[in-house]
Amino acid sequence: MTKIIAMLLITISPFFIISCGSKKLPRGLTDKQLYEVAIEEMESADRGFLWIFSARDYDRIFELLKEVQLRYTYSPYAVLAELRTADAYFEKGEYEEASVGYEEFIERHPRHKEVGYATYRLALSYFERLSNAEKDPTSARTAIKWFNEFISKHPDSSLIAEAQKKIAKCRDRLAKREIYIGNFYSKRKNYRAAASRYSVVVTNYKDTKRLEEALYLLGEAYVKQNEFDLARKALSQLIQEYPSAKYSNKASKLLNNIRNKSANPLS
């Protein structure tokens, strides 16, 4: 079976090279028609063979959209071509280029009816880059900024709930980062620096699911610095707010240890 597929690929590959390479930009089309050719290419169904060839020819899409802007500089379709170029980058997975395109569109056309869409997609472009949030929080913070901008200026949009969910995820990632850095310091016995990071979560990210963990780690860091009053405060808050949660029993045991130390200071 593998040999058959390989032979077929060898046989048909020249056809695909010729076919794809022979596409020329259409001439004599109006601004609308040329724009629609680009959109049709963007929305094309999978025309590939045996799952190997891409459904979209992005080089052609970019070329068509650029041509709309060059031929019809002052046309409303030239403006839309700017936005669709950003969309093409986004669909291609090139989120940095997409974010540049969306932001430029917003700056150039602040009153355009598609600004809300562009703002949401700009936020998404940063959201899609959250994988390295623990090392670099910039994407998460910028995504939050643009999602909030979208929510503020387009409160009636059907995408508000989704934007809020994504903000919550970004905030959770930022809280997780603070704990990650706190743990880094804690492993090196720099408990003051660790407590400072855990405190950021308790103060600024109390709406995230990381609060419980941060309270316990904060209490633990204070204990290791012999700051028992501060430890009691953090651990008591944890037990009060999360009585049945993962860290509640551990917090109770740590509080008992503090009481024992207070009762027997020389032990």
Side-chain angles (χ1 to χ4, degrees):
M1 182 67 179
T2 304
K3 289 183 179 179
I4 294 173
I5 293 174
M7 291 178 64
L8 283 170
L9 289 175
I10 292 170
T11 303
I12 67 170
S13 58
F15 167 78
F16 276 96
I17 292 170
I18 294 168
S19 176
C20 294
S22 65
K23 287 184 179 179
K24 294 182 179 180
L25 289 177
R27 296 290 173 181
L29 298 183
T30 66
D31 51 354
K32 181 181 178 182
Q33 290 170 333
L34 188 56
Y35 173 79
E36 287 176 345
V37 171
I39 297 305
E40 182 181 355
E41 187 71 40
M42 286 182 70
E43 296 176 349
S44 60
D46 190 351
R47 296 192 301 269
F49 177 79
L50 297 176
W51 70 84
I52 292 175
F53 298 98
S54 173
R56 294 177 181 138
D57 183 348
Y58 282 103
D59 288 340
R60 177 169 169 78
I61 290 168
F62 290 129
E63 196 174 3
L64 286 165
L65 292 170
K66 183 177 180 180
E67 193 69 13
V68 176
Q69 296 172 70
L70 290 174
R71 286 193 206 174
Y72 304 101
T73 306
Y74 302 106
S75 164
Y77 290 100
V79 176
L80 287 174
E82 293 178 38
L83 184 56
R84 298 289 88 85
T85 298
D87 284 342
Y89 278 123
F90 186 94
E91 297 303 327
K92 194 179 178 184
E94 296 181 2
Y95 301 115
E96 187 172 348
E97 292 82 355
S99 63
V100 171
Y102 290 128
E103 192 160 2
E104 287 181 351
F105 179 87
I106 293 165
E107 289 174 356
R108 291 173 183 167
H109 315 287
R111 293 184 175 83
H112 197 279
K113 64 180 182 178
E114 295 284 2
V115 161
Y117 169 84
T119 304
Y120 184 78
R121 295 280 284 196
L122 174 55
L124 277 183
S125 298
Y126 284 100
F127 181 82
E128 292 295 336
R129 286 181 266 167
L130 286 185
S131 58
N132 293 321
E134 288 179 4
K135 295 181 180 179
D136 182 4
T138 304
S139 293
R141 288 172 180 164
T142 309
I144 290 172
K145 169 192 167 183
W146 286 111
F147 278 128
N148 280 330
E149 176 85 358
F150 172 74
I151 290 169
S152 173
K153 294 189 175 179
H154 307 278
D156 297 326
S157 171
S158 61
L159 294 170
I160 293 295
E162 193 60 33
Q164 290 170 334
K165 287 180 183 177
K166 285 180 167 52
I167 287 174
K169 186 170 183 178
C170 289
R171 287 179 58 76
D172 184 74
R173 286 294 187 92
L174 291 173
K176 183 180 178 182
R177 177 178 183 269
E178 296 297 332
I179 291 174
Y180 174 83
I181 297 172
N183 291 344
F184 172 86
Y185 285 126
S186 184
K187 287 175 183 176
R188 286 153 183 78
K189 302 187 185 304
N190 188 346
Y191 301 117
R192 188 169 298 280
S196 177
R197 290 295 183 164
Y198 302 140
S199 292
V200 170
V201 179
V202 173
T203 303
N204 298 333
Y205 298 103
K206 60 181 66 178
D207 58 323
T208 72
K209 62 184 179 182
R210 307 291 169 180
L211 177 60
E212 175 200 348
E213 180 182 5
L215 282 168
Y216 176 77
L217 293 172
L218 179 59
E220 191 176 53
Y222 283 141
V223 168
K224 290 175 180 177
Q225 297 176 76
N226 294 322
E227 296 183 2
F228 298 125
D229 288 341
L230 291 174
R232 286 190 195 95
K233 182 179 178 181
L235 296 169
S236 296
Q237 181 182 343
L238 167 58
I239 293 168
Q240 182 178 353
E241 294 186 16
Y242 301 95
S244 304
K246 176 181 176 181
Y247 289 92
S248 185
N249 288 336
K250 294 174 74 174
S252 296
K253 290 177 182 178
L254 198 50
L255 274 175
N256 286 332
N257 290 340
I258 294 171
R259 292 190 191 101
N260 292 335
K261 285 185 179 183
S262 299
N264 303 285
L266 298 179
S267 62

